[in-house]
Amino acid sequence: DRAGTSPVVVVNEAFVRKFLNSSNPLGQVVRMGIVGPNPGAAEVVGVAEDAVYSSLRQPAPPTVYFPLAQLQSVPPASLTLTVRSEAAPPLQMTRSVAAAIGTIDPEAALAFRPLTEQINASLAQERILALLSGFFGGFAVLLAGLGLFGVTAYSVSRRRREIGIRMALGAAPGTVIRLIVGRVCFVIAAGVAIGA
């Protein structure tokens, strides 16, 4: 995979499934045509797992990885380097990674972003949608509660004479409350059943 050697590539599993019919890709020759930075044929020397690139919502696209040393004819505008470290937190690794890259290219402009931050940024649309859904759901519950309160208050005011007669004939206050609350519970249960 050095400059001046025969072109090689690493492909991902989606590429193998789509273009190589899931057969053993190692040693096969793929022709890049004018799309790749190495026009012509390149030998497949490895298979990488599918990875998410631009969106978590889309399946991994067929991808070809070219060796950086063989890209001298078409220098990339930008590169993304993913570093995994189990020994140190990601932010502590930035100095050592920057120093290692600086020995190769001292003029390289570097920007470091933890993976969790990238995932949070890619999920911003879902978070906003969930926040708005929760807000409107809470607002709907508030409106339903106010409507139910208004209907119940109106119903009780219309039945004030009936409630007074029941109390005068000796009905216990608990029985009258159960009568009113039972009707409200029936209305709530019917609304929940229809809504569900």
Side-chain angles (χ1 to χ4, degrees):
D1 59 357
R2 294 185 178 139
T5 61
S6 60
V8 293
V9 292
V10 173
V11 296
N12 70 345
E13 294 169 342
F15 185 94
V16 174
R17 284 191 301 272
K18 184 170 183 178
F19 297 113
L20 302 177
N21 298 324
S22 298
S23 62
N24 182 13
L26 297 180
Q28 291 198 30
V29 176
V30 292
R31 299 204 176 273
M32 294 295 133
I34 58 170
V35 264
N38 295 323
E43 181 183 354
V44 177
V45 294
V47 179
E49 286 188 29
D50 292 339
V52 175
Y53 286 97
S54 57
S55 172
L56 294 171
R57 295 175 287 281
Q58 297 173 350
T63 307
V64 178
Y65 300 96
F66 298 95
L68 187 58
Q70 293 183 351
L71 291 177
Q72 299 304 325
S73 60
V74 185
S78 66
L79 293 174
T80 300
L81 178 67
T82 304
V83 178
R84 177 180 174 180
S85 170
E86 296 177 7
L91 294 178
Q92 288 182 0
M93 294 295 297
T94 56
R95 280 195 209 116
S96 57
V97 170
I101 293 174
T103 59
I104 298 169
D105 186 0
E107 296 180 5
L110 304 175
F112 294 94
R113 228 173 132 192
L115 183 62
T116 53
E117 185 181 318
Q118 293 179 34
I119 292 173
N120 288 339
S122 67
L123 293 175
Q125 182 179 353
E126 284 82 1
R127 288 174 196 248
I128 290 173
L129 186 62
L131 186 66
L132 286 174
S133 297
F135 170 75
F136 285 118
F139 190 62
V141 167
L142 177 67
L143 287 179
L146 288 174
L148 187 61
F149 172 77
V151 168
T152 304
Y154 178 73
S155 173
V156 169
S157 69
R158 297 272 324 243
R159 297 176 68 185
R160 182 177 286 167
R161 180 173 289 173
E162 174 195 345
I163 292 171
I165 292 172
R166 286 178 184 267
M167 298 285 288
L169 292 176
T175 306
V176 175
I177 291 173
R178 274 196 299 276
L179 176 71
I180 302 299
V181 172
R183 182 173 175 83
V184 170
C185 289
F186 173 75
V187 170
I188 291 174
V192 167
I194 292 171

